[in-house]
């Protein structure tokens, strides 16, 4: 694919650029506390792949700020999420991040109050309850599954529709068998930056030419600092997609798993399709594998990140299957992004730097800021 040499953003006056968010929002403990309440406690959040909760009694615990949430599979295959807190005196119920409840009961380790997997109180040691336990249940949290993924929302009955968090929409991945895919590799790490820095870096490709040379080799459009088609791209006749001869995002540009059979010609040829579910994750789908990247804030200046490489069972069972070319390519991208995100965070505390400025190539950063402002203002009444 050839990019016209004269295809550039128009010049701009640096004195009139769009303002970024105030710098203190990236490190102030008070701001972080408000974000947990107004953003993270009210949005759909990724927990794990559904197959990690395959059997009745399987559970996962996710920590969001001060909130510990327990997600468990019931005997009828239903999924339940509750605050990981006993109704007696508030003890934590499950101490491990994941596990299995062999008795198909949630039992408080302190005083042994026992609950059904769906959250209803079943028994209280040394007390005749006379059925009064039926009115006591664990504190429920909204939960749902989509595409083989488990999500929760601490807003409970007030939770917004899950579909509303998807950009550009859940249907963009309709041709990938997402629910049937299995995890071939997982990488978890902690970034020394605020969670908003992670998303700002993701939504713009202004940094791509200087930070991701190998990615720009696979996707020539990224040399022009774009992340998606715009009216100007269409007007100039510039198509998005991988370079000629490139099949997938791997170190050699080749697909190392079978092509998903339901993809359209355009989906195969473009080579990557993105779905974003703010603030919790993004998914990028290729012709032979899908990668999911999810985050959880771990403090004002730290973010926990998990990357998962998903393949079909047919690929995993093939005797010559090797996900390493895809893993190695993405790991290089992760290292490159981690470096610039952490550099960004380190510089934000400069006393005179109260606010950044956004150039036209960072329009999506501005839109992310608008998304953030809207949710923070809603929470402020």
């Amino acid at each position: 694919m050839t990019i016209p040499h004269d295809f550039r953003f128009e010049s701009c006056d640096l004195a009139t650029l769009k303002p970024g968010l105030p710098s203190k929002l990236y490190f102030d403990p008070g701001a972080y506390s408000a974000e947990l309440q107004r953003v993270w406690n009210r949005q759909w959040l990724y927990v794990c792949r559904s197959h990690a909760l395959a059997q009745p009694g399987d559970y996962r615990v996710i920590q969001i700020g001060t909130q510990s949430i327990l997600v468990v599979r019931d005997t009828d295959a239903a999924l339940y999420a509750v605050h990981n807190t006993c109704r007696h005196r508030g003890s934590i119920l499950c101490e491990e991040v994941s596990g299995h409840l062999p008795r198909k009961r949630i039992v408080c380790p302190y005083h042994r109050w026992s609950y059904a997997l769906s959250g209803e109180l079943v028994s209280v040691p040394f007390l005749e309850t006379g059925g009064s336990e039926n009115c006591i249940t664990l504190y429920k949290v909204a939960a749902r599954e989509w595409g083989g993924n488990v999500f929760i929302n601490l807003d409970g009955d007030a939770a917004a529709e899950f579909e509303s968090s998807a950009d550009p929409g859940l249907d963009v991945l309709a041709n990938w068998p997402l629910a049937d895919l299995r995890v071939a590799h997982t990488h978890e790490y902690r970034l020394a930056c605020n969670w908003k820095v992670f998303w700002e870096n993701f939504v713009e490709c202004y940094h791509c030419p200087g930070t991701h040379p190998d990615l720009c080799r696979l996707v020539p459009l990224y040399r022009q600092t774009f992340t998606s088609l715009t009216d100007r791209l269409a007007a100039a006749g510039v198509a998005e997609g991988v370079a000629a001869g490139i099949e997938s995002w791997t170190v050699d540009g080749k697909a190392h798993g079978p092509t998903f059979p339901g993809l359209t010609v355009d989906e195969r040829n473009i080579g990557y399709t993105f779905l974003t579910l703010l603030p919790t994750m993004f998914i990028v789908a290729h012709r032979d594998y899908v990668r999911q990247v999810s985050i959880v804030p771990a403090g004002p200046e730290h973010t926990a990140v998990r990357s998962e490489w998903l393949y079909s069972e047919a690929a995993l069972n093939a005797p010559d299957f090797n996900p390493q070319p895809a893993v190695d390519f993405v790991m290089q991208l992760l290292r490159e992004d981690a470096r610039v995100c952490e550099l960004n965070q380190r510089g934000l505390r400069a006393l005179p730097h109260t606010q950044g400025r956004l150039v036209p190539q960072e329009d999506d950063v501005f839109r992310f800021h608008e998304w953030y402002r809207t949710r923070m203002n809603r929470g402020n009444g």
Side-chain angles (χ1 to χ4, degrees):
M1 180 176 63
T2 301
I3 305 293
H5 291 297
D6 59 349
F7 186 72
R8 298 288 188 274
F9 274 112
E10 63 273 14
S11 61
C12 58
D13 181 356
L14 294 180
T16 59
L17 296 180
K18 292 178 180 177
L21 294 175
S23 296
K24 77 172 192 175
L25 293 181
Y26 296 87
F27 54 79
D28 180 72
Y32 174 69
S33 178
E35 290 170 356
L36 290 175
Q37 296 177 38
R38 302 174 191 176
V39 179
W40 288 89
N41 290 355
R42 298 182 178 181
Q43 302 298 312
W44 287 97
L45 308 177
Y46 175 67
V47 178
C48 63
R49 292 290 291 170
S50 294
H51 65 77
L53 300 173
Q55 302 300 320
D58 289 349
Y59 72 86
R60 282 291 182 102
V61 172
I62 179 173
Q63 189 77 26
I64 306 296
T66 61
Q67 302 303 299
S68 179
I69 307 302
L70 171 64
V71 186
V72 62
R73 183 75 67 185
D74 201 354
T75 52
D76 62 356
L79 193 73
Y80 290 96
V82 295
H83 284 269
N84 189 22
T85 300
C86 182
R87 288 295 303 270
H88 176 211
R89 279 167 50 190
S91 170
I92 284 288
L93 296 166
C94 292
E95 301 174 77
E96 303 299 326
V97 173
S98 63
H100 180 77
L101 303 169
R103 293 176 52 204
K104 308 300 184 291
R105 290 286 184 268
I106 304 170
V107 181
C108 177
Y110 194 179
H111 298 97
R112 312 305 293 177
W113 281 35
S114 177
Y115 303 84
L117 298 179
S118 53
E120 291 79 15
L121 181 64
V122 174
S123 65
V124 177
F126 309 113
L127 288 178
E128 294 292 337
T129 59
S132 62
E133 70 273 13
N134 293 332
C135 65
I136 299 178
T137 65
L138 297 175
Y139 303 107
K140 297 292 182 68
V141 171
R144 67 159 296 168
E145 296 178 81
W146 170 81
N149 295 314
V150 176
F151 298 87
I152 60 167
N153 192 314
L154 275 65
D155 220 12
D157 293 338
E161 289 293 326
F162 174 75
E163 291 76 9
S164 66
S165 67
D167 182 20
L170 298 179
D171 288 347
V172 74
L173 296 181
N175 292 332
W176 277 266
L178 191 57
D180 299 325
L181 302 185
R182 294 293 182 264
V183 178
H185 184 78
T186 300
H187 177 64
E188 298 185 14
Y189 60 105
R190 179 170 290 206
L191 278 175
C193 71
N194 183 271
W195 66 274
K196 297 188 294 299
V197 170
F198 171 90
W199 279 117
E200 291 168 354
N201 178 75
F202 168 74
V203 300
E204 56 94 347
C205 213
Y206 189 35
H207 71 284
C208 288
T211 304
H212 302 305
D214 289 338
L215 178 59
C216 290
R217 174 178 56 82
L218 264 61
V219 186
L221 182 61
Y222 288 175
R223 297 173 189 160
Q224 301 298 313
T225 75
F226 293 103
T227 57
S228 62
L229 288 176
T230 64
D231 292 339
R232 280 168 287 184
L233 276 172
V238 181
E240 65 176 343
V242 293
I246 298 299
E247 298 174 343
S248 188
W249 283 21
T250 60
V251 290
D252 58 6
K254 303 300 182 184
H256 290 268
T259 297
F260 297 116
L263 304 186
T264 66
V265 173
D266 282 346
E267 287 169 338
R268 292 195 302 271
N269 291 341
I270 289 174
Y272 54 90
T273 298
F274 282 91
L275 173 68
T276 302
L277 297 159
L278 287 174
T280 189
M281 74 186 311
F282 72 83
I283 302 172
V284 54
H286 307 288
R287 66 164 60 191
D288 61 326
Y289 76 96
V290 173
R291 182 168 56 97
Q292 301 189 151
V293 179
S294 55
I295 69 167
V296 175
E301 298 186 83
H302 289 89
T303 302
V305 187
R306 184 197 314 169
S307 289
E308 298 168 304
W309 287 253
L310 311 181
Y311 285 84
S312 66
E313 287 199 52
L316 293 175
N317 293 331
D320 59 346
F321 173 65
N322 179 19
Q324 208 59 44
V327 172
D328 288 346
F329 180 79
V330 172
M331 288 296 294
Q332 179 63 31
L333 297 182
L334 296 179
R335 287 189 291 268
E336 292 164 350
D337 278 329
R339 176 179 177 272
V340 294
C341 285
E342 292 180 347
L343 288 175
N344 192 168
Q345 184 70 35
R346 286 168 57 189
L348 286 169
R349 284 182 174 270
L351 292 175
H353 185 78
T354 58
Q355 194 170 38
R357 297 175 179 179
L358 303 178
V359 300
Q361 291 94 327
E362 296 168 311
D363 280 348
D364 283 340
V365 176
F366 182 78
R367 281 188 281 272
F368 167 67
H369 289 175
E370 290 296 284
W371 176 92
Y372 170 81
R373 289 187 184 99
T374 297
R375 278 142 192 85
M376 291 296 286
N377 289 336
R378 283 177 187 168
N380 204 24

